[in-house]
Amino acid sequence: MNQYSPINFAQKYALFHEQWAPKVVAEMNDYQFKIARLEGDFIWHTHADTDETFIVLDGELRIDFRDGAVMIGPGEMYVVKKGVEHKPSAEREVKLLLIEPRGIINTGEETNERTAVNDVWI
Protein backbone atom coordinates (compact mmCIF):
# COMPACT_ATOMS: atom_id res chain seq x y z
CA MET A 1 0.00 0.00 0.00
CA ASN A 2 1.41 3.38 -0.88
CA GLN A 3 1.55 6.19 1.66
CA TYR A 4 -1.25 8.09 -0.11
CA SER A 5 -3.84 5.30 -0.19
CA PRO A 6 -7.07 5.89 1.71
CA ILE A 7 -8.31 3.36 4.25
CA ASN A 8 -11.27 1.50 2.79
CA PHE A 9 -13.60 0.25 5.53
CA ALA A 10 -15.33 -2.35 3.33
CA GLN A 11 -11.97 -3.89 2.42
CA LYS A 12 -10.88 -3.93 6.05
CA TYR A 13 -14.15 -5.50 7.28
CA ALA A 14 -13.79 -8.25 4.65
CA LEU A 15 -10.58 -9.37 6.41
CA PHE A 16 -12.22 -10.46 9.69
CA HIS A 17 -15.50 -11.70 11.14
CA GLU A 18 -14.86 -11.95 14.89
CA GLN A 19 -17.30 -10.12 17.15
CA TRP A 20 -16.14 -7.71 19.86
CA ALA A 21 -12.50 -7.83 18.68
CA PRO A 22 -11.52 -4.29 17.56
CA LYS A 23 -8.86 -4.00 14.84
CA VAL A 24 -6.63 -0.94 14.48
CA VAL A 25 -6.74 0.71 11.05
CA ALA A 26 -4.90 3.98 11.82
CA GLU A 27 -3.26 6.10 14.48
CA MET A 28 -3.25 9.84 15.02
CA ASN A 29 -0.90 11.07 17.72
CA ASP A 30 -1.65 8.74 20.67
CA TYR A 31 -5.14 7.83 19.44
CA GLN A 32 -6.14 4.70 17.56
CA PHE A 33 -8.96 4.29 15.06
CA LYS A 34 -10.38 0.79 15.45
CA ILE A 35 -13.07 -0.99 13.47
CA ALA A 36 -15.18 -3.69 15.08
CA ARG A 37 -18.12 -5.97 14.48
CA LEU A 38 -20.54 -6.15 17.40
CA GLU A 39 -23.57 -8.35 17.98
CA GLY A 40 -25.29 -9.29 21.22
CA ASP A 41 -24.52 -7.85 24.65
CA PHE A 42 -21.19 -6.67 25.96
CA ILE A 43 -20.39 -6.21 29.66
CA TRP A 44 -20.84 -3.26 32.00
CA HIS A 45 -17.53 -1.41 32.20
CA THR A 46 -15.84 1.97 32.56
CA HIS A 47 -12.72 3.66 31.29
CA ALA A 48 -11.47 5.71 34.24
CA ASP A 49 -8.97 7.84 32.33
CA THR A 50 -10.43 8.42 28.87
CA ASP A 51 -13.52 9.16 26.82
CA GLU A 52 -14.52 6.60 24.16
CA THR A 53 -16.01 7.54 20.78
CA PHE A 54 -18.41 5.21 18.94
CA ILE A 55 -19.15 5.97 15.26
CA VAL A 56 -21.68 3.60 13.68
CA LEU A 57 -21.01 2.77 10.04
CA ASP A 58 -23.68 0.07 9.61
CA GLY A 59 -26.45 -1.21 11.87
CA GLU A 60 -27.78 0.15 15.13
CA LEU A 61 -25.93 0.23 18.44
CA ARG A 62 -27.51 0.65 21.85
CA ILE A 63 -25.37 1.89 24.73
CA ASP A 64 -26.96 1.41 28.14
CA PHE A 65 -26.09 3.57 31.12
CA ARG A 66 -27.21 3.06 34.71
CA ASP A 67 -29.71 5.90 34.26
CA GLY A 68 -30.71 5.60 30.58
CA ALA A 69 -29.61 4.58 27.09
CA VAL A 70 -28.70 5.99 23.68
CA MET A 71 -29.37 4.47 20.24
CA ILE A 72 -26.81 5.21 17.53
CA GLY A 73 -27.57 4.55 13.87
CA PRO A 74 -25.50 4.66 10.66
CA GLY A 75 -23.70 7.96 10.25
CA GLU A 76 -24.10 8.85 13.93
CA MET A 77 -21.63 9.00 16.79
CA TYR A 78 -21.65 9.18 20.56
CA VAL A 79 -18.89 9.97 23.05
CA VAL A 80 -19.00 8.12 26.37
CA LYS A 81 -17.27 10.33 28.92
CA LYS A 82 -14.49 8.91 31.06
CA GLY A 83 -15.61 7.17 34.22
CA VAL A 84 -19.19 6.59 32.97
CA GLU A 85 -20.29 2.97 33.30
CA HIS A 86 -21.78 1.68 30.05
CA LYS A 87 -22.80 -1.50 28.22
CA PRO A 88 -22.96 -1.62 24.41
CA SER A 89 -25.32 -4.07 22.68
CA ALA A 90 -26.71 -4.80 19.22
CA GLU A 91 -29.63 -7.00 18.18
CA ARG A 92 -28.04 -7.45 14.74
CA GLU A 93 -24.44 -7.00 13.69
CA VAL A 94 -23.12 -3.47 13.88
CA LYS A 95 -19.99 -2.24 12.13
CA LEU A 96 -18.40 0.66 13.90
CA LEU A 97 -15.35 2.83 14.27
CA LEU A 98 -13.95 3.39 17.75
CA ILE A 99 -11.59 6.23 18.58
CA GLU A 100 -9.63 5.94 21.80
CA PRO A 101 -6.09 6.32 23.13
CA ARG A 102 -3.57 3.58 22.31
CA GLY A 103 -3.49 0.83 24.94
CA ILE A 104 -7.07 1.13 26.19
CA ILE A 105 -8.52 -2.25 27.19
CA ASN A 106 -11.97 -2.77 25.67
CA THR A 107 -13.40 -4.14 28.93
CA GLY A 108 -12.13 -1.24 31.03
CA GLU A 109 -10.88 -2.22 34.46
CA GLU A 110 -12.24 -5.75 34.03
CA THR A 111 -10.49 -8.60 32.24
CA ASN A 112 -12.56 -11.60 31.19
CA GLU A 113 -13.53 -13.66 28.12
CA ARG A 114 -14.64 -10.45 26.33
CA THR A 115 -11.23 -8.75 26.73
CA ALA A 116 -9.75 -8.29 23.26
CA VAL A 117 -6.09 -8.42 22.35
CA ASN A 118 -4.83 -4.84 21.97
CA ASP A 119 -2.94 -3.32 19.04
CA VAL A 120 -4.10 -5.81 16.41
CA TRP A 121 -3.62 -4.01 13.09
CA ILE A 122 -5.54 -4.96 9.99
Side-chain angles (χ1 to χ4, degrees):
M1 181 166 83
N2 105 31
Q3 67 180 349
Y4 300 113
S5 295
I7 294 165
N8 183 291
F9 292 126
Q11 289 173 346
K12 296 293 187 181
Y13 276 108
L15 299 174
F16 75 102
H17 295 284
E18 307 101 301
Q19 300 286 330
W20 304 99
K23 310 293 185 205
V24 181
V25 295
E27 278 188 346
M28 180 186 73
N29 300 321
D30 293 332
Y31 280 79
Q32 291 184 326
F33 293 78
K34 301 175 182 177
I35 59 172
R37 294 172 177 270
L38 312 180
E39 188 171 3
D41 288 328
F42 201 55
I43 63 165
W44 285 100
H45 68 286
T46 61
H47 301 284
D49 299 319
T50 187
D51 298 343
E52 183 177 25
T53 302
F54 294 83
I55 301 171
V56 173
L57 304 174
D58 185 44
E60 193 167 72
L61 179 70
R62 177 186 173 106
I63 302 177
D64 287 309
F65 302 98
R66 293 298 183 181
D67 61 352
V70 63
M71 295 295 291
I72 312 162
E76 295 181 326
M77 67 179 273
Y78 188 83
V79 178
V80 176
K81 294 297 183 186
K82 68 180 175 183
V84 174
E85 192 173 24
H86 59 287
K87 180 177 75 75
S89 63
E91 287 186 24
R92 289 182 231 15
E93 185 177 76
V94 170
K95 292 177 183 170
L96 61 80
L97 176 66
L98 294 165
I99 303 170
E100 56 194 13
R102 183 186 314 114
I104 293 301
I105 297 173
N106 69 325
T107 51
E109 280 70 57
E110 303 289 321
T111 51
N112 58 35
E113 70 280 353
R114 289 278 195 178
T115 303
V117 176
N118 245 345
D119 283 329
V120 176
W121 284 76
I122 195 164

